[in-house]
Amino acid sequence: MSTLLSEIQIETSLAELDNWQYGNKKINKVFAFDSYMESIDFINSVAQKAEEVNHHPDLTVGYCKINIEITSHDLGGVTTGCIELAKSIESIK
């Protein structure tokens, strides 16, 4: 079960990840790609991983860029599950 993290715990966890940011009770990162189809392939991989762990990020598709925001809507902030999902997403790219 995921537990809600304090701001200090979130910042410490994000220090281990590349370019993830914290704000407004969520963590986010923008991923850039060389082509639009690369970004779509990536988002499909993220969707599959999210479905596997039953933790679904907000995804915004732009031209060759994907913005990912992760929060726990149930618990109202960033949880251990959010950090784990971010780590999983990092391993995709």
Side-chain angles (χ1 to χ4, degrees), residues 20 26-31 33 36 39-51 55-63 65-71 73 85-86 88-90 92:
W20 284 84
K26 57 189 153 195
I27 57 175
N28 78 292
K29 180 176 178 176
V30 175
F31 290 83
F33 298 88
Y36 184 74
S39 65
I40 297 304
D41 289 342
F42 174 72
I43 209 166
N44 285 328
S45 295
V46 169
Q48 176 131 3
K49 177 54 76 177
E51 204 47 32
H55 195 59
H56 302 91
D58 292 324
L59 307 168
T60 306
V61 179
Y63 181 70
K65 289 188 181 179
I66 304 295
N67 182 51
I68 298 179
E69 295 181 338
I70 307 172
T71 190
H73 299 286
L85 181 58
S88 293
I89 291 168
E90 282 295 317
I92 294 170

Side-chain angles (χ1 to χ4, degrees), residues 2-87:
S2 290
T3 56
L4 202 56
L5 298 174
S6 70
E7 191 168 332
I8 292 170
Q9 290 172 310
I10 295 165
E11 294 294 345
T12 300
S13 296
L14 292 183
E16 300 171 11
L17 296 171
D18 187 32
N19 290 323
W20 284 84
Q21 305 296 317
Y22 171 69
N24 297 322
K25 297 185 178 184
K26 57 189 153 195
I27 57 175
N28 78 292
K29 180 176 178 176
V30 175
F31 290 83
F33 298 88
D34 292 331
S35 73
Y36 184 74
M37 289 312 296
E38 271 185 81
S39 65
I40 297 304
D41 289 342
F42 174 72
I43 209 166
N44 285 328
S45 295
V46 169
Q48 176 131 3
K49 177 54 76 177
E51 204 47 32
E52 287 172 14
V53 298
N54 195 33
H55 195 59
H56 302 91
D58 292 324
L59 307 168
T60 306
V61 179
Y63 181 70
C64 299
K65 289 188 181 179
I66 304 295
N67 182 51
I68 298 179
E69 295 181 338
I70 307 172
T71 190
S72 171
H73 299 286
D74 294 340
L75 298 178
V78 177
T79 65
T80 52
C82 297
I83 299 298
E84 290 306 311
L85 181 58
K87 288 178 182 177

